[in-house]
Amino acid sequence: MADITDQKERSFPKIEFTDSEAGALTFPSSKSRSYNYYKPAKLRATMYEDVTVDVQPDPERHLTQGWIYGFGDGPGGYPQEWTTAKSSNWHAFLDPNEEWEQSIYRNNSAVVHQVELCLKNAKRARVYDSWNGPWLKFIERNVGAWMHAENGLALHVFTSIQRSGPTNMINTAVAFNAAHKMRFAQDLALFNLDLAEADVAFEGSAHKEVWQEAPEWQPTREVVEQLTAVGDWCELLFATNIVFEQLIGSLFRTELVMQVAARNSDYITPTLVGTGENDYDRDLGYTRVLFRLLTQDEEHGAANKELFGSWLAKWVPRCQEAAHALQPIWSQAAEKPVTFATSRANATAKFVSLLEDLGLDIPKELDQ
Amino acid sequence: MSRQSLTKAHAKISELTWEPTFATPATRFGTDYTFEKAPKKDPLKQIMRSYFPMEEEKDNRVYGAMDGAIRGNMFRQVQQRWLEWQKLFLSIIPFPEISAARAMPMAIDAVPNPEIHNGLAVQMIDEVRHSTIQMNLKKLYMNNYIDPAGFDMTEKAFANNYAGTIGRQFGEGFITGDAITAANIYLTVVAETAFTNTLFVAMPDEAAANGDYLLPTVFHSVQSDESRHISNGYSILLMALADERNRPLLERDMRYAWWNNHCVVDAAIGTFIEYGTKDRRKDRESYAEMWRRWIYDDYYRSYLLPLEKYGLTIPHDLVEEAWNRIVNKDYVHRVAQFFATGWPVNYWRIDTMTDTDFEWFEEKYPGWYSKFGAWWENYNRLAYPGNNKPIAFEDVGYNYPHRCWTCMVPCLIREDTVCEKVDGQWKTYCSETCHWTDAVAFRAEYEGRETPNMGRLTGFREWETLHHDKDLADIVEDLGYVRDDGKTLIGQPHLHLDDPKKMWTLDDVRGIQFMSPNVLLNQMSDDEREKHIAEYRLNDMSKIA
């Protein structure tokens, strides 16, 4: 039996009722219950604005002592000179998705649950058994190669950019873009693992050789690696989300995989790739808002348009060449409901529409 | 997901990386470290499929607690003395958090090891979580606590305040200069592994003792991510140690990072815990006792010392001196005294101290009353306007201090003050190590070796310079530290909101001229300066009061 006679007196803090609730007293500022150091876009500040705006200080706003650490070869902080694009007010950019920590976890957890349920059901129903050989090979090689591109963009493009933008709103939107890409790349890799472990003819490690050596994928890998070599963060974002994603990413995901999978008895891959499509739709949303701000900037809009034109002249041919090299994979599935020409025309039309929306001239290469 | 499945999944995910052959990734952020002989190891094995649901679950618990706090009228029992200091702390901490996110690509650039890149990118997302969840906590305080003034201007105040700038090092230091110095040694190996223990564990405990259980809810949730970040830092540190050429740089960076973290974090968190609490139980741990447990034993003895056998030169002398400053040189008490001296240019209120507080300090820090008692009694005496100026401008034997050029905490342990002409300007430093940091470590050459990637100390480092020879009322107004009646100050040297006559206004501080010690120092002749510094070193009012 426990000895209850030798118990030490416990020490714990005493609760005291202090009546420190809002409204307990009236005094100057007793009703000042909104952040007053920035002007929200609408009359009432959103949660996104309250947790994001001005967290990264700026000498052009409230930062009076300037950046207190510098690089060996230049100023520290977030210099506007880290891109050649110019804005009369970088702070005007707000993420239309209004992403902050709660939304990113809620949204991506929902995606995770959707993907897991889909893959679990696929295993239970043994759906992979009914896939034809060419389609398994298509997934093994091409979806396998594509996941490298997604992962490379996550780690070496978007993760990188979010150090360099001049405002917290830009960098945070891009950080979440990186998170989307990481999750999607990994989902494709784990799908690859499921197929490799299923009782079907699927070589789980074939993707590495395809990505690094198959001729149809080398120009795409080359563009991805060229993107990672860009130092100007704004060019990197433009070249990736405006050009590469439209001419190669959407061409592969939207115009090929999403169109042909069902005809090849595959409802699993579109579910997975659809999540990546949804991510890109959101990420294109913030990208579009940012570049629209820059092209419509009263002071710098014209110069920015010229600059973006030069970026188009640099990146469109590279992406066009990479897209063209992918043509053979349109013939690899057993069922071929779309042709490369149709897919490419669709992707190009959407790209043109995006450029028109941004007020940019259409590159002549797109006519070819 | 089972451990076996996780291992298999992680192995598959590691297949996603490749060695580029067409183009080399841009080196946006350089390092003087070399990693040619680096072993490959990913300590984290984190996959997004388990990461997102895990964090969502953690979020659900945090937001559930927040709802509960509102429904349970938590603010009826929150101590104002405590929550006022949160106006300062929560204005600072979201920036270091978001800076940690921004630091991750610097580490990725610097460490040519794809194995670890995945873990660093996950840390990036964690850090965005921490920054925004802390901003949201602050918003909840602003909405529900009796006095929202100071919370309502939080990010502006952080950016223009002397104390905000001290805290800003704990953020800018993560993202600037040599990528490994910043993103690995300063951020992860020292700040996250050592000092988040006092920031995110010790301080929330004190919050709970003061009726605030939301700070522990949010910060313990944050701290549960930190253990993964510590693994990232450790892994890169081991890689750096694998190359002999990195050893001198590691020694330099450990000395800088340890000392700067001590100067900044112990100043702030020590003050919050010791002077922000109403819990004066004699068996409640003091900050010194917490520091001994969390920093000295858990970090120094358990984490750092074992690294000695891998060749890491550990700054034993600086660890001991930090401890010496806390227990023998009254570092925290002098900082609290300085914050209270500067109350007119604060955006939070600082409570007076009572006999119960005095007794507790004397119990925990024998001799405290003889050194600080009289000053705090003067603080109490001068708390209300009408018959006196703010305490900084009354003769209570306390000279407004010089600021340390490096850590930007003033030179409060006056006998340790260093005064040197560096880069053509007379500057003061709180310690030999802070002088070494500016004059030796943050330079383009270190011990005869070129270190072009090392950062530089920049900016208007003495806050007072910006406001030199101005009227105090104009300074407060320029800073925006005025309540919505256009005259009452946000900062007050007491907690009485119920009597307008006790609240200081702009009129009460008008006519007081504010001078920058550094500007004055540079106006002196050599003889005057030498005499002044000699007197400054002796003018330790805590010993003569």
Side-chain angles (χ1 to χ4, degrees):
Chain A
M1 186 184 251
D3 179 5
I4 59 169
T5 59
D6 187 29
Q7 296 196 51
K8 286 183 184 168
E9 190 179 337
R10 281 172 53 77
S11 172
F12 54 88
K14 304 281 186 297
I15 289 299
E16 182 186 346
F17 286 93
T18 58
D19 197 15
S20 299
E21 283 184 298
L25 283 172
T26 299
F27 53 88
S29 284
S30 61
K31 292 178 181 157
S32 178
R33 300 197 182 272
S34 58
Y35 290 149
N36 58 25
Y37 48 88
Y38 77 93
K39 189 174 184 303
K42 295 178 182 171
L43 282 177
R44 189 184 171 88
T46 64
M47 173 64 84
Y48 159 75
E49 288 174 301
D50 273 348
V51 300
T52 313
V53 176
D54 281 331
V55 174
Q56 177 181 310
D58 185 338
E60 290 191 356
R61 286 178 61 77
H62 311 301
L63 188 61
T64 52
Q65 288 180 258
W67 297 110
I68 50 182
Y69 286 107
F71 287 96
D73 60 355
Y78 298 88
Q80 295 185 5
E81 295 69 33
W82 282 0
T83 176
T84 44
K86 299 228 177 319
S87 170
S88 28
N89 179 16
W90 286 104
H91 292 267
F93 169 78
L94 295 173
D95 178 3
N97 303 315
E98 302 199 333
E99 291 276 29
W100 66 297
E101 69 103 18
Q102 204 176 22
S103 67
I104 189 80
Y105 292 117
R106 277 182 181 166
N107 293 341
N108 282 273
S109 286
V111 171
V112 165
H113 294 315
Q114 176 186 334
V115 167
E116 283 193 320
L117 192 61
C118 172
L119 294 177
K120 194 172 163 188
N121 286 335
K123 274 189 195 170
R124 190 166 52 206
R126 298 183 65 85
V127 297
Y128 306 134
D129 293 358
S130 63
W131 288 7
N132 61 57
W135 183 248
L136 280 167
K137 188 61 86 182
F138 179 93
I139 299 291
E140 175 189 290
R141 291 178 62 82
N142 302 317
V143 176
W146 181 252
M147 65 195 187
H148 291 272
E150 296 281 352
N151 196 60
L153 298 180
L155 294 180
H156 300 290
V157 170
F158 296 110
T159 299
S160 171
I161 290 172
Q162 62 92 46
R163 166 63 187 90
S164 302
T167 75
N168 198 41
M169 291 78 81
I170 294 171
N171 290 331
T172 296
V174 180
F176 289 142
N177 196 155
H180 290 152
K181 287 287 181 196
M182 275 179 77
R183 194 214 68 242
F184 181 46
Q186 294 186 5
D187 276 345
L188 293 179
L190 296 178
F191 176 44
N192 175 291
L193 182 61
D194 274 6
L195 283 162
E197 291 180 339
D199 192 17
V200 293
F202 189 90
E203 177 49 61
S205 60
H207 63 91
K208 288 186 277 190
E209 192 184 337
V210 175
W211 178 244
Q212 290 191 282
E213 291 176 27
E216 67 271 27
W217 281 102
Q218 294 321 291
T220 296
R221 180 164 71 87
E222 185 173 3
V223 178
V224 171
E225 291 181 14
Q226 285 168 338
L227 285 169
T228 68
V230 173
D232 181 318
W233 69 266
C234 201
E235 179 184 351
L236 186 50
L237 186 61
F238 184 89
T240 307
N241 269 356
I242 301 290
V243 186
F244 177 88
E245 281 282 28
Q246 288 287 310
L247 293 181
I248 303 178
S250 294
L251 175 71
F252 178 73
R253 293 188 308 254
T254 318
E255 305 301 340
L256 179 58
V257 178
M258 297 296 282
Q259 307 301 327
V260 304
R263 289 289 193 90
N264 286 277
S265 310
D266 175 7
Y267 61 88
I268 305 302
T269 308
T271 304
L272 259 73
V273 172
T275 65
E277 288 288 275
N278 184 57
D279 291 338
Y280 176 57
D281 190 49
R282 292 175 73 84
D283 293 325
L284 180 61
Y286 85 77
T287 310
R288 186 193 296 261
V289 168
L290 177 62
F291 285 101
R292 223 192 244 152
L293 267 174
L294 295 173
T295 56
Q296 293 176 0
D297 189 292
E298 283 192 11
E299 190 180 348
H300 303 289
N304 284 335
K305 282 184 184 177
E306 196 178 330
L307 177 69
F308 301 160
S310 73
W311 290 346
L312 286 170
K314 178 176 166 186
W315 291 100
V316 167
R318 291 174 175 180
C319 291
Q320 289 278 76
E321 187 188 334
H324 185 71
L326 286 173
Q327 184 169 3
I329 71 176
W330 264 251
S331 310
Q332 289 173 4
E335 292 291 327
K336 310 173 186 62
V338 290
T339 64
F340 176 72
T342 306
S343 296
R344 196 166 180 192
N346 288 343
T348 303
K350 289 174 188 169
F351 180 48
V352 168
S353 167
L354 173 61
L355 295 183
E356 286 171 348
D357 183 47
L358 296 176
L360 296 176
D361 293 336
I362 309 303
K364 60 183 185 315
E365 291 85 354
L366 292 177
D367 300 332
Q368 295 167 5
Chain B
M1 190 177 275
S2 71
R3 180 165 289 280
Q4 191 184 9
S5 307
L6 181 63
T7 303
K8 207 190 296 180
H10 182 264
K12 172 55 75 175
I13 285 164
S14 67
E15 293 176 6
L16 288 169
T17 59
W18 76 96
E19 286 295 327
T21 58
F22 293 109
T24 307
T27 305
R28 298 174 184 84
F29 307 102
T31 181
D32 300 321
Y33 283 77
T34 51
F35 287 93
E36 287 161 22
K37 299 170 186 169
K40 296 187 174 185
K41 186 168 176 258
D42 174 9
L44 212 53
K45 294 193 173 171
Q46 184 73 61
I47 61 171
M48 306 308 278
R49 193 176 283 180
S50 59
Y51 171 75
F52 281 120
M54 174 184 75
E55 296 293 337
E56 186 193 30
E57 170 63 21
K58 284 161 66 173
D59 264 11
N60 288 341
R61 295 178 190 193
V62 167
Y63 290 100
M66 286 180 162
D67 289 347
I70 304 301
R71 283 197 297 269
N73 297 317
M74 184 187 85
F75 289 88
R76 282 185 193 170
Q77 64 201 46
V78 161
Q79 292 291 349
Q80 291 188 40
R81 175 187 280 185
W82 175 260
L83 220 65
E84 287 298 318
W85 283 105
Q86 293 309 309
K87 292 176 180 175
L88 172 59
F89 174 63
L90 286 174
S91 73
I92 294 172
I93 197 67
F95 174 66
E97 296 282 13
I98 206 69
S99 300
R102 311 306 180 222
M104 291 302 106
M106 299 175 68
I108 289 174
D109 272 9
V111 183
N113 182 354
E115 294 286 319
I116 202 168
H117 293 169
N118 182 57
L120 293 168
V122 175
Q123 181 172 346
M124 170 191 74
I125 309 165
D126 279 347
E127 305 290 8
V128 180
R129 170 178 193 253
H130 300 173
S131 178
T132 53
I133 206 171
Q134 290 160 7
M135 287 297 291
N136 185 45
L137 173 66
K138 181 165 51 182
K139 183 177 173 176
L140 184 145
Y141 287 160
M142 175 177 69
N143 284 331
N144 294 282
Y145 169 62
I146 187 169
D147 183 10
F151 283 130
D152 58 0
M153 64 171 305
T154 180
E155 294 306 302
K156 176 180 177 179
F158 166 60
N160 70 11
N161 180 268
Y162 71 92
T165 311
I166 295 170
R168 194 145 49 80
Q169 293 166 93
F170 199 73
E172 280 193 52
F174 305 162
I175 57 168
T176 321
D178 187 299
I180 293 299
T181 309
N184 180 243
I185 304 299
Y186 187 84
L187 165 59
T188 315
V189 173
V190 179
E192 291 190 297
T193 308
F195 287 89
T196 57
N197 281 323
T198 53
L199 273 166
F200 297 164
V201 181
M203 197 178 70
D205 279 358
E206 207 52 45
N210 285 276
D212 172 13
Y213 58 78
L214 284 185
L215 196 84
T217 300
V218 170
F219 280 84
H220 288 174
S221 186
V222 166
Q223 185 69 1
S224 67
D225 293 327
E226 299 294 343
S227 56
R228 287 185 282 112
H229 307 170
I230 290 166
S231 299
N232 277 338
Y234 188 73
S235 188
I236 295 176
L237 179 60
L238 290 185
M239 287 186 234
L241 279 166
D243 193 322
E244 289 282 344
R245 290 169 294 179
N246 294 328
R247 302 269 169 102
L249 300 184
L250 281 169
E251 183 181 358
R252 176 198 67 186
D253 290 346
M254 283 301 299
R255 293 187 74 79
Y256 144 65
W258 165 266
W259 192 251
N260 189 267
N261 269 269
H262 152 65
C263 292
V264 174
V265 179
D266 288 333
I269 308 303
T271 298
F272 302 158
I273 286 178
E274 301 297 52
Y275 288 81
T277 190
K278 290 288 278 187
D279 180 15
R280 295 305 186 190
R281 286 171 299 138
K282 300 284 170 55
D283 56 355
R284 195 270 283 177
E285 276 188 333
S286 67
Y287 185 71
E289 290 166 312
M290 293 176 188
W291 198 95
R292 189 76 187 181
R293 176 153 68 105
W294 290 110
I295 309 279
Y296 196 92
D297 291 338
D298 273 18
Y299 176 71
Y300 172 54
R301 291 168 61 86
S302 304
Y303 173 89
L304 269 191
L305 282 181
L307 286 167
E308 216 160 26
K309 66 174 180 282
Y310 294 105
L312 184 67
T313 304
I314 294 169
H316 300 288
D317 57 327
L318 297 185
V319 174
E320 297 299 339
E321 178 56 13
W323 172 242
N324 187 36
R325 295 217 310 177
I326 289 170
V327 293
N328 296 320
K329 294 184 176 178
D330 300 313
Y331 183 60
V332 170
H333 305 301
R334 294 169 194 246
V335 172
Q337 183 184 32
F338 171 70
F339 279 139
T341 296
W343 73 258
V345 287
N346 292 347
Y347 47 97
W348 65 98
R349 296 174 291 139
I350 298 179
D351 195 9
T352 52
M353 292 289 127
T354 66
D355 287 347
T356 309
D357 298 313
F358 292 170
E359 281 171 27
W360 186 88
F361 281 119
E362 192 61 28
E363 167 86 11
K364 293 292 180 180
Y365 301 95
W368 180 91
Y369 184 79
S370 67
K371 291 184 274 188
F372 299 97
W375 188 89
W376 280 102
E377 282 165 356
N378 277 321
Y379 182 81
N380 294 357
R381 179 174 61 81
L382 302 168
Y384 307 124
N387 299 317
N388 51 266
K389 297 176 193 168
I391 188 168
F393 305 95
E394 291 285 351
D395 183 10
V396 292
Y398 184 83
N399 284 1
Y400 190 85
H402 281 283
R403 197 164 286 273
C404 176
W405 195 261
T406 298
C407 74
M408 293 185 281
V409 180
C411 307
L412 297 170
I413 301 170
R414 298 189 183 222
E415 62 271 29
D416 289 353
T417 302
V418 174
C419 179
E420 291 287 344
K421 193 169 197 176
V422 177
D423 298 329
Q425 182 177 355
W426 285 101
K427 298 172 181 174
T428 47
Y429 301 90
C430 72
S431 55
E432 289 288 352
T433 309
C434 271
H435 172 247
W436 167 87
T437 300
D438 183 16
V440 179
F442 273 69
R443 298 286 152 173
E445 186 185 308
Y446 179 71
E447 293 186 348
R449 168 182 179 171
E450 289 190 356
T451 49
N453 289 297
M454 192 58 180
R456 304 286 182 272
L457 302 188
T458 61
F460 300 98
R461 299 188 72 83
E462 201 223 20
W463 179 85
E464 290 80 359
T465 306
L466 300 177
H467 308 288
H468 178 65
D469 205 16
K470 289 184 187 169
D471 189 287
L472 182 60
D474 293 337
I475 295 170
V476 175
E477 203 161 15
D478 288 349
L479 293 168
Y481 301 171
V482 182
R483 292 171 185 262
D484 62 8
D485 62 351
K487 60 178 186 177
T488 306
L489 308 194
I490 292 177
Q492 298 285 333
H494 59 77
L495 299 180
H496 297 289
L497 296 166
D498 52 345
D499 183 354
K501 289 197 286 298
K502 292 179 176 172
M503 302 279 275
W504 292 72
T505 66
L506 289 171
D507 290 341
D508 297 318
V509 297
R510 200 173 299 286
I512 299 171
Q513 215 65 8
F514 187 82
M515 309 301 275
S516 147
N518 186 264
V519 170
L520 297 178
L521 184 75
N522 278 277
Q523 289 171 350
M524 294 175 189
S525 67
D526 288 349
D527 288 346
E528 287 170 337
R529 190 175 49 257
E530 271 181 36
K531 183 165 177 282
H532 169 78
I533 290 296
E535 286 172 356
Y536 183 83
R537 289 195 183 109
L538 290 174
N539 176 234
D540 187 349
M541 65 76 55
S542 70
K543 287 183 179 164
I544 60 173

